[in-house]
Amino acid sequence: MPKTTQYGSYRQGKYITHKTTRYGRYTEGRYIKHKTFQYGSYRKGRYSTHKTTQYGEYRQERYTTPVPGTPPGGGENIRLPLNLYPFLYDLELQPFMYETNAQDFYFIGKVRIDMECKRSTNEIVLHSDKLNITTSSVMIRPMTPGQSTIIPTIEFDTIKQFLILRTITQLVSGSKYSVFIEFRGPIISEHTGLFQTAYQRRNDTIYVVQTHMAPSHAREVFPCFDEPAVKAKFSVTLIRKNQFISLSNMKKIKSRDLSNQWVADYYAATPMMSTHLLAFVVCDFISREVLISSNVLFRIWTRPEAIDQTGYVLDLGGRVQNFYEEYFNYPFMLPKQDIIGVPDFKGSMENWGLIIQREEAMSFTPQETAEGFKEYVTMILSRELAHVWFGNLVSQSWWDDLWLIEGFANYMAFVAMNSVVPSWLPLDDFVIKNVQRALAFDGLISSHPVHVPVSNPDELDENLTPFPSGRYGGSILRMLQFILGDATFQKGLQRLIREREYGVMAHDDLWAALRTQSIIDGNSYQRYKEYEPLDVKGIMETWTLQMNYPTVFMERKGYGMRLSQSRYLLDKTATDPGQYASPFG
């Protein structure tokens, strides 16, 4: 049974066998045949390449390339070995969504993955889940002319969701290879991967096929390296019937008529991005559009029956996007921004260039819709657009830092609203809707640190609960802004984005950028020689690496005061189960 939250459909349970956890969520037992394989661990390295393209300076890319060593963040049991590293996916998908029985919907696809070998090996390990792949549909072709095609054997590790391609031929470090795979998968109704939703038009049921890849569901759509730090370009072709339209992250560059009323839509290559940000929709929707700053095409897509309710969002989107461009001092990177409202979708997702959200979150009719709902529509759009810079352009290096991305977008939505509609006093509203709710949850013994290591697939979904991802993360970032001051906080974010553009970051990278900016601005304690520069990392780790928060006591002592603090718990008699030990005692 799906579970809906304000943060989107990937916050849901998906499978048949459920059990309750201490966070009110559920995990699953998924597989019958289990087989475990061991791989080496790795650490992250970085290198930079620069390339000019038709889109100009924003395509100056920074790769984050893992190499053999020790894994960051969430442990090594579900991490790819990454002996080979992808730099381009050429992906074609054809959904079959035209049968009478929706349970029979399926898709076929083929992908060419261009990759560089980082360490000599006899196997390629990537992700695949719920896909039908046969040995005859897989081959490896060296990109160096004159070398023979390699036909690998294939194995599946269903626990780790690995597809393992084994070869007799050694894959040589420094060489480049293309992997060709054909596959087939179901179009189901679980709101993950490539799935179906529906709406009624009179007596007819109209189907929409769409994606939701986060956090780890791109592997349900095509074989890939499905980790947020493994960024590549994506060249997409979508094949659909001619009564429908298709959408993806980038602009469509051409269409070609095929036989039997099929049409192939070809899309421009994306910038370097994570797999979970890739998006496709096939539907019968129509659009409204406007050109905003830097000739960016801003489009709203809905059912024909709902398009008249989107005027507010069409106007709002340009204003919010312009605010973020100025705030981050970084122009929007793509030639277009689509936002599509799907009636039966359970949340919203910030896919780069194609935001998918629930239709009601973009519908507003003046004189008919309540002002409170107008505020909700504004907040949702502001939050998803904030992810363009913090989440898409710069992504989390692993899922245990999702709280940072979600919390930042949640807080920045209110900052943007304060600029666009200041009469609502949204920054005051943030205290009520986020800070107080975060404190209420974090006052319980059943709370947990905002940063929790992720070490198996079940925890990917469990770690995406609203408390750490949105409310608490946004609240402590707001606190940090008060400590540093508005100007230093803003310039520190700009510094981080420029340093990490088209790459990834961990929370320590943000703390370092803000500390550096604090020093440059002559901020806080370092004005006095006897004090060190502000220790942003030291301050923030007391809020991210341990659960709960302190109560500060003030006691008058003659002409002075004595301050002390202790751990706050709503139930002072509660016993800590000790699952999360505080590194600060």
Side-chain angles (χ1 to χ4, degrees):
M1 297 289 292
K3 183 177 181 182
T4 305
T5 81
Q6 61 175 314
Y7 298 103
S9 68
Y10 61 86
R11 306 290 199 273
Q12 60 197 337
K14 305 180 292 299
Y15 302 95
I16 298 172
T17 304
H18 298 160
K19 66 177 182 178
T20 303
T21 75
R22 67 196 302 265
Y23 303 113
R25 298 184 61 81
Y26 42 88
T27 55
E28 70 281 352
R30 276 176 279 186
Y31 305 106
I32 298 173
K33 295 181 180 180
H34 292 178
K35 189 173 183 179
T36 304
F37 301 89
Q38 294 296 325
Y39 301 98
S41 56
Y42 56 89
R43 62 178 179 270
K44 293 185 300 179
R46 292 185 66 86
Y47 66 92
S48 296
T49 63
H50 304 286
K51 185 177 181 182
T52 303
T53 75
Q54 59 176 319
Y55 300 114
E57 183 181 357
Y58 75 88
R59 302 292 281 275
Q60 188 178 42
E61 297 144 358
R62 181 168 294 134
Y63 299 79
T64 300
T65 307
V67 295
T70 303
E76 55 186 287
N77 56 340
I78 60 170
R79 303 300 291 268
L80 292 170
L82 292 177
N83 295 323
L84 288 95
Y85 195 88
F87 56 88
L88 174 65
Y89 293 82
D90 191 342
L91 174 64
E92 178 183 290
L93 284 176
Q94 182 175 11
F96 289 82
M97 50 184 285
Y98 314 101
E99 306 295 332
T100 302
N101 189 349
Q103 293 181 349
D104 297 330
F105 290 1
Y106 68 96
F107 65 92
I108 61 174
K110 54 186 178 182
V111 65
R112 187 195 81 229
I113 310 174
D114 295 340
M115 56 188 74
E116 181 179 356
C117 185
K118 299 295 182 183
R119 183 171 64 180
S120 296
T121 182
N122 286 92
E123 63 182 21
I124 300 173
V125 185
L126 57 163
H127 286 113
S128 176
D129 186 25
K130 302 183 179 72
L131 298 176
N132 187 343
I133 300 169
T134 61
T135 300
S136 60
S137 69
V138 181
M139 68 176 178
I140 303 169
R141 184 174 296 163
M143 297 179 72
T144 303
Q147 296 191 24
S148 300
T149 297
I150 303 168
I151 305 299
T153 61
I154 65 174
E155 296 181 16
F156 294 93
D157 180 343
T158 53
I159 295 176
K160 299 178 183 178
Q161 301 170 358
F162 284 173
L163 168 64
I164 304 134
L165 312 181
R166 299 192 187 278
T167 73
I168 298 175
T169 304
Q170 180 89 342
L171 306 176
V172 180
S173 177
S175 299
K176 295 180 180 179
Y177 300 87
S178 294
V179 174
F180 297 81
I181 306 175
E182 295 181 1
F183 51 91
R184 172 176 170 151
I187 300 176
I188 52 182
S189 55
E190 293 180 350
H191 289 242
T192 64
L194 186 67
F195 63 95
Q196 53 176 287
T197 58
Y199 67 93
Q200 295 298 125
R201 179 176 293 145
R202 295 179 291 277
N203 295 324
D204 297 326
T205 300
I206 310 299
Y207 289 98
V208 176
V209 167
Q210 66 181 90
T211 52
H212 191 97
M213 309 284 205
S216 58
H217 304 298
R219 65 192 70 177
E220 299 172 16
V221 184
F222 63 105
C224 57
F225 295 81
D226 196 14
E227 294 184 357
V230 186
K231 294 195 170 188
K233 294 182 180 181
F234 296 83
S235 180
V236 172
T237 302
L238 298 177
I239 301 177
R240 40 88 185 177
K241 286 288 190 177
N242 59 11
Q243 72 265 34
F244 287 88
I245 60 101
S246 73
L247 295 170
S248 190
N249 303 77
M250 299 297 288
K251 269 187 174 181
K252 183 169 62 179
I253 53 178
K254 67 176 180 178
S255 294
R256 182 167 63 92
D257 290 333
L258 307 175
S259 60
N260 298 322
Q261 299 181 325
W262 289 99
V263 178
D265 293 331
Y266 300 87
Y267 290 88
T270 69
M272 299 294 292
M273 69 179 200
S274 306
T275 51
H276 71 274
L277 297 174
L278 197 60
F280 322 117
V281 179
V282 177
C283 62
D284 70 342
F285 289 6
I286 62 174
S287 68
R288 304 172 68 175
E289 62 185 50
V290 64
L291 279 178
I292 59 176
S293 64
S294 306
N295 278 333
V296 174
L297 182 64
F298 193 91
R299 297 187 297 193
I300 302 293
W301 296 83
T302 68
R303 298 174 298 129
E305 298 87 344
I307 197 69
D308 290 340
Q309 302 173 31
T310 61
Y312 173 70
V313 173
L314 187 67
D315 172 68
L316 173 71
R319 290 188 288 146
V320 172
Q321 194 157 298
N322 289 340
F323 167 79
Y324 286 136
E325 287 186 314
E326 294 177 6
Y327 188 89
F328 298 122
N329 192 28
Y330 199 109
F332 188 77
M333 320 89 199
L334 305 184
K336 64 91 175 176
Q337 174 65 68
D338 284 327
I339 302 178
I340 184 168
V342 182
D344 194 33
F345 192 36
K346 295 297 189 291
S348 56
M349 178 61 198
E350 66 274 9
N351 313 295
W352 208 353
L354 177 56
I355 293 172
I356 304 176
Q357 58 187 48
R358 191 172 178 87
E359 183 186 276
E360 68 177 18
M362 53 194 299
S363 302
F364 175 77
T365 304
Q367 315 306 322
E368 296 181 17
T369 309
E371 192 77 359
F373 191 80
K374 183 179 182 181
E375 182 180 0
Y376 164 74
V377 169
T378 306
M379 188 274 292
I380 294 294
L381 182 61
S382 299
R383 187 184 70 201
E384 301 311 312
L385 286 175
H387 277 302
V388 171
W389 287 265
F390 218 88
N392 299 357
L393 178 63
V394 182
S395 307
Q396 67 273 22
S397 59
W398 184 242
W399 291 112
D400 47 13
D401 268 332
L402 181 71
W403 70 270
L404 185 60
I405 302 297
E406 289 296 326
F408 179 84
N410 193 39
Y411 176 55
M412 282 306 303
F414 286 81
V415 176
M417 289 166 62
N418 190 60
S419 173
V420 175
V421 198
S423 61
W424 288 346
L425 303 177
L427 294 179
D428 293 343
D429 200 28
F430 182 85
V431 177
I432 299 170
K433 292 182 176 178
N434 289 273
V435 177
Q436 294 301 324
R437 291 180 180 180
L439 291 173
F441 184 94
D442 202 32
L444 304 176
I445 202 67
S446 57
S447 181
H448 57 88
V450 67
H451 181 273
V452 178
V454 175
S455 57
N456 65 67
D458 296 342
E459 291 175 350
L460 292 180
D461 285 320
E462 187 173 288
N463 203 37
L464 300 179
T465 56
F467 158 66
S469 297
R471 294 171 185 160
Y472 193 95
S475 297
I476 63 174
L477 290 173
R478 170 182 175 270
M479 177 183 70
L480 181 56
Q481 181 181 15
F482 276 98
I483 294 171
L484 295 171
D486 293 351
T488 296
F489 184 77
Q490 181 178 351
K491 287 186 289 185
L493 295 177
Q494 293 172 359
R495 169 180 297 278
L496 177 74
I497 288 172
R498 289 290 180 183
E499 289 176 348
R500 298 282 172 170
E501 57 185 0
Y502 300 99
V504 296
M505 68 162 189
H507 55 271
D508 281 350
D509 299 316
L510 176 59
W511 310 151
L514 292 172
R515 182 179 187 275
T516 297
Q517 193 61 50
S518 174
I519 293 172
I520 292 172
D521 292 348
N523 201 349
S524 193
Y525 302 125
Q526 75 134 5
R527 295 174 182 170
Y528 308 98
K529 292 182 179 179
E530 62 268 28
Y531 289 102
E532 294 293 326
L534 192 65
D535 181 9
V536 176
K537 175 180 169 68
I539 293 171
M540 297 308 293
E541 284 189 344
T542 66
W543 292 91
T544 61
L545 301 184
Q546 60 182 345
M547 57 190 260
N548 306 130
Y549 53 89
T551 303
V552 178
F553 297 89
M554 181 174 65
E555 180 183 3
R556 186 184 297 276
K557 290 284 188 181
Y559 293 101
M561 288 182 295
R562 179 179 181 272
L563 299 177
S564 62
Q565 70 179 37
S566 63
R567 177 185 185 181
Y568 173 80
L569 287 173
L570 181 63
D571 180 1
K572 295 180 175 57
T573 65
T575 302
D576 191 334
Q579 182 176 359
Y580 301 105
S582 168
F584 306 100

